[in-house]
């Protein structure tokens, strides 16, 4: 991987078309192709990662804090998270990992993680052993470049989450998060007519937004009352995307 790639090298993302019958590998390839166009050989190499995919139950901890990961983790289905937990048990969710997201921190450079990784829902996760992952990057520089650019977007997203927590009200924070999920899930073909699956509990959202579960419930009621969203079970629809973006002052450029 070229260590000279910087934030200035990040290019506008394009969306690769979704091939007929596209499955989990298509989701991963589509995301990476948005950062650096992939070759047929690159896609075939990603297809080979399906052999590492396993089902993971909700709340399973994939990597403990302070542990050195021996595998790169790729989310093929479901929602996972990076989080920190206090001795009291209180949790702060630092990032969502959705289908197509890859976590190689620790696995690539063999250093302990300063956070833990947990499945928020039932997931399909590929645990790619370090030797196989390093070999993949060495043989496929376009994949390595796409992953490096994806990490730049992750870092920008982390900064945006900090700003969200520090500068916005409860409704604004929630609106910003929903706008971000609309963009991220849309980029991998998992949004239809403003509707997507949000299989998270109000407790998960509270631990993400720095609010109580009661406050999250009130905020969602406000957004529904104002005609911005509808929420039935885990099915969320953005009814007024432009108004929701205005409320959050959301700009998608960091993604």
């Amino acid at each position: 991987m070229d260590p000279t790639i910087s934030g200035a090298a990040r290019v506008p993302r394009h969306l690769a078309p979704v091939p007929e019958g596209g499955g989990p590998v298509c989701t991963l390839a589509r995301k990476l192709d948005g950062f650096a166009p992939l070759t047929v050989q690159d896609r075939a190499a990603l297809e080979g990662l399906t052999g590492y995919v396993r089902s993971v139950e909700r709340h399973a901890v994939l990597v403990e804090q302070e542990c050195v990961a021996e595998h790169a983790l790729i989310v093929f289905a479901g929602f996972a998270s990076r989080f920190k937990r206090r001795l009291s048990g209180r949790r702060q969710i630092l990032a969502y990992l959705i289908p197509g997201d890859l976590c190689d921190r620790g696995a690539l450079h063999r250093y302990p993680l300063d956070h833990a990784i947990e499945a928020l829902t039932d997931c399909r996760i590929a645990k790619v052993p370090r030797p196989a992952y390093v070999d993949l990057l060495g043989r496929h520089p376009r994949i390595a470049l796409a992953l490096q650019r994806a990490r730049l977007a992750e870092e920008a997203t982390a900064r945006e989450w900090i700003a969200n927590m520090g500068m916005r009200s409860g409704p604004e924070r929630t609106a910003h998060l929903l706008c971000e999920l609309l963009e991220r899930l849309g980029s991998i073909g998992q949004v239809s007519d403003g509707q997507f699956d949000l299989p998270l509990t109000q407790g998960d959202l509270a631990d993400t937004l720095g609010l109580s579960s009661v406050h999250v419930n009130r905020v969602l009621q406000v957004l529904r009352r104002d005609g911005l969203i509808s929420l039935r079970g885990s099915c969320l629809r953005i009814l007024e995307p432009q108004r929701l973006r205005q409320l959050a002052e959301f700009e998608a450029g960091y993604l």
Side-chain angles (χ1 to χ4, degrees), residues 5-255:
I5 299 292
S6 66
R10 202 167 97 199
V11 296
R13 296 180 59 188
H14 68 281
L15 294 183
V18 181
E20 289 187 18
V25 171
C26 171
T27 300
L28 173 62
R30 189 174 193 231
K31 174 180 176 175
L32 294 183
D33 196 72
F35 287 107
L38 303 180
T39 65
V40 173
Q41 292 78 13
D42 295 330
R43 291 176 178 274
L46 294 175
E47 182 75 31
L49 300 178
T50 56
Y52 298 109
V53 177
R54 297 291 183 272
S55 295
V56 176
E57 293 184 353
R58 180 186 177 202
H59 296 320
V61 176
L62 304 172
V63 184
E64 294 281 4
Q65 187 170 318
E66 303 301 333
C67 286
V68 176
E70 296 296 328
H71 302 78
L73 300 174
I74 304 170
V75 180
F76 277 68
F79 274 62
S81 73
R82 304 181 195 274
F83 76 95
K84 282 183 174 287
R85 195 184 298 276
R86 295 189 62 181
L87 293 177
S88 64
R90 185 173 180 181
R91 174 185 63 164
Q92 177 65 50
I93 292 177
L94 308 172
Y96 290 150
L97 301 174
I98 64 171
D101 285 347
L102 182 146
C103 178
D104 63 1
R105 297 180 185 182
L108 191 58
H109 301 295
R110 308 191 83 163
Y111 62 79
L113 286 183
D114 62 358
H115 59 277
I117 301 174
E118 176 186 36
L120 291 175
T121 68
D122 291 341
C123 291
R124 297 277 290 168
I125 304 283
K127 297 177 68 174
V128 184
R130 181 186 292 113
Y133 181 63
V134 172
D135 181 65
L136 174 73
L137 299 185
R139 289 186 295 107
H140 296 276
R142 285 180 179 269
I143 292 177
L145 175 61
L147 288 170
Q148 193 163 358
R149 288 176 170 169
R151 278 191 287 274
L152 293 175
E154 288 177 12
E155 292 169 3
T157 301
R159 290 190 291 271
E160 197 66 29
W161 278 36
I162 292 171
N164 201 31
M165 293 276 287
M167 298 194 301
R168 296 186 176 100
S169 67
E172 291 166 344
R173 291 183 202 180
T174 307
H176 196 278
L177 178 65
L178 297 181
C179 287
E180 180 181 291
L181 287 173
L182 182 70
E183 292 288 332
R184 291 179 64 190
L185 293 169
S187 73
I188 56 174
Q190 295 195 3
V191 173
S192 177
D193 192 26
Q195 180 174 296
F196 56 89
D197 190 38
L198 186 67
L200 305 177
T201 67
Q202 290 187 8
D204 294 332
L205 293 174
D207 290 348
T208 301
L209 297 166
L211 305 172
S212 68
S213 294
V214 172
H215 197 168
V216 167
N217 182 272
R218 290 172 180 166
V219 166
L220 292 175
Q221 289 183 29
V222 167
L223 296 180
R224 294 166 76 173
R225 182 198 65 201
D226 291 346
L228 298 175
I229 67 169
S230 69
L231 181 61
R232 295 183 179 180
S234 65
C235 181
L236 187 136
R237 171 169 283 169
I238 307 298
L239 301 174
E240 294 284 351
Q242 187 58 38
R243 286 176 57 205
L244 198 70
R245 291 189 186 98
Q246 289 174 347
L247 172 62
E249 298 182 355
F250 178 81
E251 297 290 343
Y254 66 94
L255 297 170

